[in-house]
Amino acid sequence: MLRVRFAPSPTGFLHVGSARTFIFNWLYARHNGGTVVLRLDDTDVERNTDASVNSIFDGLRWLDLGWDEEYKQSERLALHRQIADAIFQKGLAYRDFTPAHTGDSEKSGANQTWLFNPGMRELSRAESDRRAAAGESFALRFRVPRGTGEQVRFTDAVYGEQIKSAADIEDFALLRSDGMPTYHLASCADDIDLRISHIIRGQDHLSNTYKHVLIFEGAGAKPPQFAHLPLLVAPDGSKLSKRRHGPVVSVTTYRDAGFLPEAFINFLCLLGWSPKDDREKMTRQELIDAFSLEGINRANAVINFKENLKEPAATLPATSPDETFDSKAVWLNAEHIRGLSIDDLSVRLLPIVHGAGFPIAPEKMHAITPLIRERIKLLRDVLTAADFFFVDDDQLPPYDPAELIPQKGDAAMALKVLTRAREVLAQTEFKHDPLDQALRAAAQAMGVKAGQMFQPIRVAVCGRKNAPPLFETLQVLGREITLARIDQAIEKLEGCASASPKSPLSS
Ligand code: GLU
């Protein structure tokens, strides 16, 4: 039975690299009909926070992939100690009573002498039992084999055969002197107990794996298959870190900026993995079908973000997304947006519009959605692409009245066209075909091109030239707002003409 686990430590937020680890585990399990275990590695009480647990769950829930089983390491300490004891009883671990080395000896240095605390490894069992019974505190250390030429080896599904001389592995701690399990022990004990068959995790854990192999074997368990994932790095090749790179390394930043979870998942999958046919845009099901450990690369994967996102995305104005995020992520997002049904997309846009203070009814959002679906790359772009639908009739963002002047026309033409359009629109049914016919006929009768009629209307109702198709837009805005905005445009034109007879508007 294939079982994988994702084991975040709740010491921060959900990092994009961790999200990718979760996604790869999930895809591998779903591809093979296996089970996904979520395990919170929360034994480091000094560094864990509830805020971090919440933020990790927020990120995971947004990805919307789900998992099958859930555990907290802190609730499994008895199991960890039991496995430590089993290793100890076999003589594969020893008590270290040296107070100076009660912490994790990994951190102590790299020369030969730190591999043992003098005398402790050699302590007789009787002496060790006596000191323990007398209440002396001790750390429990793994007795790494010290025979000449002794090696630890495993085959990684991504990085291949891995071999390390046992002489280069210190007698690492399983239990600290306060009785708490170390990460190495807790992780392996849980992996054994939860019958994890595949450990898929970041490449930064590759060097820990030798110790893990020793623990698995020491506990009498077959080590699982390991697959380490290439690092995610910044454009300059440095490891992604919140301190250096800011919010762009946190999953919720992408949520708040208006990425679709399915697009974000698609993007992360392409960082360090590729399908055999090099497709890029893939749905969740296509990813499940195509995913394999063989498709994972060894080279570090670069996220090409621009280092200008210093504020949380939710507080940013909707800006051009290309200025901040990896352009492939943005492109994939636009592709996934286009693949959504209008129903689905409008439901996803509504909370963003409401969050920006526009109490738009769901039906109206549903009507606006097809007009902007091709025009937005991130969900938050709805705020700039469709702003004129959300504001009251008298609150169009200010625009330059010169925009109202049609191509090859002048202010007088703009005025004439808008005045006539107002008359026509006061009487025409606000549906696509009648609007189309009536405005074209009016243009023809006035001897202007259709475009020369449409542009002033478009600018009058949208406040700019670059806007969705005109008749659909008018239909959604409705007669009242359309006429009010045309009146305002006429006023602007008249105001400019009278204020300065020589203005460019009065040519
Ligand atoms: N809690 C560890 C981490 O967040 C898990 C590593 C592992 O997968 O074993 O890095």
Side-chain angles (χ1 to χ4, degrees), residues 5-11 18 21 39-42 73 183 187 191 199-202 204-205 208 212:
R5 88 310 194 258
F6 173 58
S9 303
T11 53
S18 304
T21 299
R39 188 184 79 205
L40 275 188
D41 281 3
D42 60 346
Q73 243 178 6
Y183 153 66
S187 181
D191 290 335
I199 294 186
I200 304 171
R201 62 183 173 191
D204 46 335
H205 286 291
N208 287 331
H212 297 183

Side-chain angles (χ1 to χ4, degrees), residues 354-370:
H354 286 174
F358 303 113
I360 299 299
E363 305 73 45
K364 183 162 181 193
M365 194 64 237
H366 195 269
I368 294 169
T369 301

Side-chain angles (χ1 to χ4, degrees), residues 196-237:
I196 300 302
S197 62
H198 291 72
I199 294 186
I200 304 171
R201 62 183 173 191
Q203 192 248 33
D204 46 335
H205 286 291
L206 194 61
S207 62
N208 287 331
T209 307
Y210 300 102
K211 291 174 187 164
H212 297 183
V213 168
L214 288 170
I215 298 177
F216 280 107
E217 288 173 348
K222 182 171 170 284
Q225 171 69 59
F226 292 96
H228 286 86
L229 308 176
L231 286 183
L232 290 190
V233 295
D236 66 359

Side-chain angles (χ1 to χ4, degrees), residues 476-497:
V476 173
L477 283 172
R479 193 192 315 270
E480 201 184 322
I481 289 183
T482 300
L483 296 185
R485 289 187 185 170
I486 290 181
D487 286 341
Q488 286 170 1
I490 290 174
E491 257 173 59
K492 273 183 205 271
L493 284 167
E494 288 172 344
C496 289

Side-chain angles (χ1 to χ4, degrees), residues 246-273:
V248 82
V249 304
S250 169
V251 168
T252 46
T253 298
Y254 293 80
R255 174 195 68 189
D256 298 342
F259 281 87
L260 299 174
E262 54 269 56
F264 180 66
I265 289 168
N266 188 170
F267 169 66
L268 284 187
C269 283
L270 299 179
L271 293 171
W273 172 83

